[in-house]
Amino acid sequence: EDDLRMLAVRAHVNAARVAIQLERFEAAAAALNEAGRILSAAPASHDKADGLINLALGYRDLAPVRPDLYARSLTQAAALLQEAATMAEEPVDARLASYAYGHLGHLYEGEHRLDEALQLTRRAVFAAQSARAPESLYRWQWQSGRLLTRLGKLDDALSAYQEAAATLQPIRAEVTF
C-alpha cells in the first residue's frame, strides 16, 4: 500500500510539472494539493521524506509562474522541506537530509536570506559528507560557493568551488547535467 501511495504522489507531482509547462496552473496546483493530501496520510518513512522533497520542488516550480500563489507556494515548499529534513534525522538518513537542507537553502537564497541559506547549505554539505554521497555533495559545495560569492567572501567561495570540482572529478562520468 505504501508503494502505491508513493507512486500516486510521484504521478501527481509529475502531472503538476507537465501542467506548469503547459501553463495550466490551476491543474498544477490541484495536482500538488492532491499529492500533499496523499502524503499527509502516510506514516513517517524514507519514502515519505523523499515524497515531501519532490512535492516541495513542485511548489517551488509553481511559485514563479503564479504570482498570486508565490508566497504561499514558497512557504509550503519550505515547510515540506523542513518536515523532510526532520524525518530524515530520525532515524538518520543523511543522504535524504542533504537534499532537504540543500533545497531549503536554495529557497532561502531565492528570497535573499543569504546567511540562513548558507547555514542550511552547510548542513546539506555535512549531511552529504556523512552519507558519502558525492552526487549531492558537489551540488551543495557549489551552492556554498555561489552564496559566499554573493556575501562577498570571495576566498571562501573559491575554496568551495574548488571542493565542488574535486568532488565532481571522480564521478563526472556518472553525473548528467
Side-chain angles (χ1 to χ4, degrees):
E1 182 181 328
D2 270 355
D3 288 344
L4 288 177
R5 183 180 292 154
M6 292 307 131
L7 187 59
V9 167
R10 188 168 295 277
H12 283 293
V13 171
N14 288 341
R17 287 193 173 119
V18 170
I20 290 169
Q21 290 176 346
L22 296 173
E23 297 184 6
R24 296 182 181 160
F25 305 126
E26 293 301 322
L32 293 172
N33 291 338
E34 180 60 15
R37 188 193 64 74
I38 294 167
L39 267 177
S40 68
S45 68
H46 169 87
D47 289 340
K48 181 175 182 175
D50 186 52
L52 290 167
I53 291 170
N54 284 316
L55 180 57
L57 296 178
Y59 279 112
R60 178 205 64 193
D61 294 345
L62 182 63
V65 296
R66 280 294 303 270
D68 58 319
L69 297 177
Y70 184 83
R72 187 169 48 190
S73 293
L74 288 185
T75 299
Q76 183 72 7
L80 292 165
L81 289 168
Q82 187 59 57
E83 184 180 351
T86 300
M87 202 172 291
E89 290 176 358
E90 303 283 332
V92 176
D93 187 336
R95 177 176 276 110
L96 210 52
S98 82
Y99 282 103
Y101 287 124
H103 287 303
L104 191 55
H106 185 69
L107 280 183
Y108 277 58
E109 178 184 9
E111 293 300 297
H112 308 289
R113 295 168 63 177
L114 302 182
D115 289 321
E116 293 163 290
L118 183 59
Q119 183 181 14
L120 288 162
T121 302
R122 286 181 170 154
R123 290 181 79 173
V125 166
F126 178 77
Q129 288 169 331
S130 298
R132 292 180 175 79
E135 71 282 356
S136 64
L137 177 58
Y138 84 89
R139 182 178 189 160
W140 312 131
Q141 289 168 326
W142 191 268
Q143 185 167 295
S144 292
R146 190 175 63 239
L147 288 163
L148 288 162
T149 298
R150 291 182 69 188
L151 288 166
K153 299 177 180 180
L154 300 183
D155 288 338
D156 292 339
L158 179 60
S159 294
Y161 285 131
Q162 289 170 334
E163 289 169 3
T167 299
L168 193 54
Q169 187 65 29
I171 63 165
R172 70 174 184 219
E174 299 170 27
V175 178
T176 58
F177 291 94

